[in-house]
Amino acid sequence: MMRFRKKVNRENPICFQPTIFCYTYTILSNMHAHVPFHHYEGVAVPIGKGRIMRKAGGHDPAKDPHRATRAKDRADKVAILSFGSRLHEALIAADEIEEQDPSLGVTVADARFMKPLDVKMITRLAEENSVIVTVEEGSIGGFGDHVLHFLTTNGFLDDGNLKMRPMVIPDGWIEAGSQYEQYEQAGLNAKHIRGTVLRLKERINVPVLQA
């Protein structure tokens, strides 16, 4: 939750500097805080609703919702479902995948919430794509497992036409370093997302370890 710096004046005992607005109205009311809402222009985020950030072919659905996508068949469509700050890396990975393999079309979605899940959006991704990769800054048992539970209990994986892989921070020590270096160790940068998708679509050869 974002902290706000506060200042005191006679007209408004508690007011907040303009910054990212993350508090809910209920929390602020309980704090007896007056918030100058007219300073904030934007749209409230509905609880439990995600958003499609990129459709296959690289276009923004908010700006051009009727534009045709490049991949026509479900077998050539892939979805990357991000939860948290890996969204930017997911968008980079999508561009790189389509540049490397023009036959694939990659959709990128921002989940925003884990509880409640946006089951309507996830259902759409499951019905339209042959691969779903979830990416999160969490350990095993988090967002990816929540999505997997929804997909399995609703039968989306039963016919074998949908593959799903969660990408999480692995259990183990991560050395001190920059954010990029630590994400590199965790395997959560764009190249790792790209590699996961291409392996699932069998576009790259994976070495088999001999027993």
Side-chain angles (χ1 to χ4, degrees):
M1 186 175 289
M2 182 69 68
R3 292 183 177 179
F4 291 86
R5 293 177 296 168
K6 59 184 179 180
K7 63 180 180 181
V8 178
N9 58 40
R10 294 179 180 178
E11 297 180 357
N12 184 16
I14 300 179
C15 64
F16 299 100
Q17 300 290 347
T19 182
I20 300 174
F21 190 70
C22 298
Y23 280 99
T24 66
Y25 179 78
T26 303
I27 293 174
L28 291 168
S29 298
N30 292 336
M31 293 168 57
H32 303 288
H34 171 70
V35 181
F37 286 100
H38 61 278
H39 289 310
Y40 301 94
E41 297 181 0
V43 178
V45 177
I47 301 298
K49 295 295 182 183
R51 55 182 176 170
I52 303 296
M53 301 298 297
R54 177 196 196 278
K55 284 190 174 182
H59 70 280
D60 183 349
K63 297 178 180 178
D64 195 2
H66 303 296
R67 178 178 170 183
T69 58
R70 56 189 263 164
K72 301 300 182 182
D73 297 327
R74 181 186 179 189
D76 297 325
K77 294 180 180 179
V78 175
I80 302 172
L81 180 56
S82 173
F83 179 64
S85 68
R86 296 291 82 199
L87 178 60
H88 179 66
E89 294 295 310
L91 290 168
I92 294 174
D95 289 339
E96 293 176 348
I97 292 167
E98 290 189 351
E99 182 178 355
Q100 183 171 338
D101 191 329
S103 68
L104 294 178
V106 185
T107 296
V108 178
D110 180 12
R112 284 181 169 175
F113 296 91
M114 180 171 71
K115 279 194 171 184
L117 278 177
D118 187 344
V119 296
K120 183 177 180 180
M121 182 182 74
I122 295 174
T123 296
R124 178 183 171 189
L125 294 176
E127 291 175 344
E128 295 180 354
N129 296 276
S130 61
V131 166
I132 294 178
V133 174
T134 62
V135 188
E136 65 181 295
E137 290 180 274
S139 60
I140 297 171
F143 173 73
D145 285 8
H146 204 42
V147 173
L148 183 58
H149 180 270
F150 170 77
L151 294 175
T152 54
T153 54
N154 287 275
F156 288 107
L157 303 178
D158 292 354
D159 60 7
N161 293 322
L162 177 65
K163 297 179 181 179
M164 189 272 185
R165 290 292 186 278
M167 296 184 67
V168 300
I169 295 178
D171 291 335
W173 297 103
I174 293 181
E175 296 291 337
S178 66
Q179 276 193 339
Y180 180 86
E181 291 170 340
Q182 291 184 316
Y183 285 129
E184 191 77 5
Q185 295 177 56
L188 291 177
N189 282 328
K191 69 178 183 180
H192 304 107
I193 301 172
R194 182 185 73 237
T196 299
V197 170
L198 293 176
R199 283 196 298 273
L200 288 170
K201 295 306 299 177
E202 299 179 351
R203 297 305 202 268
I204 57 177
N205 295 322
V206 180
V208 178
L209 298 178
Q210 299 297 326

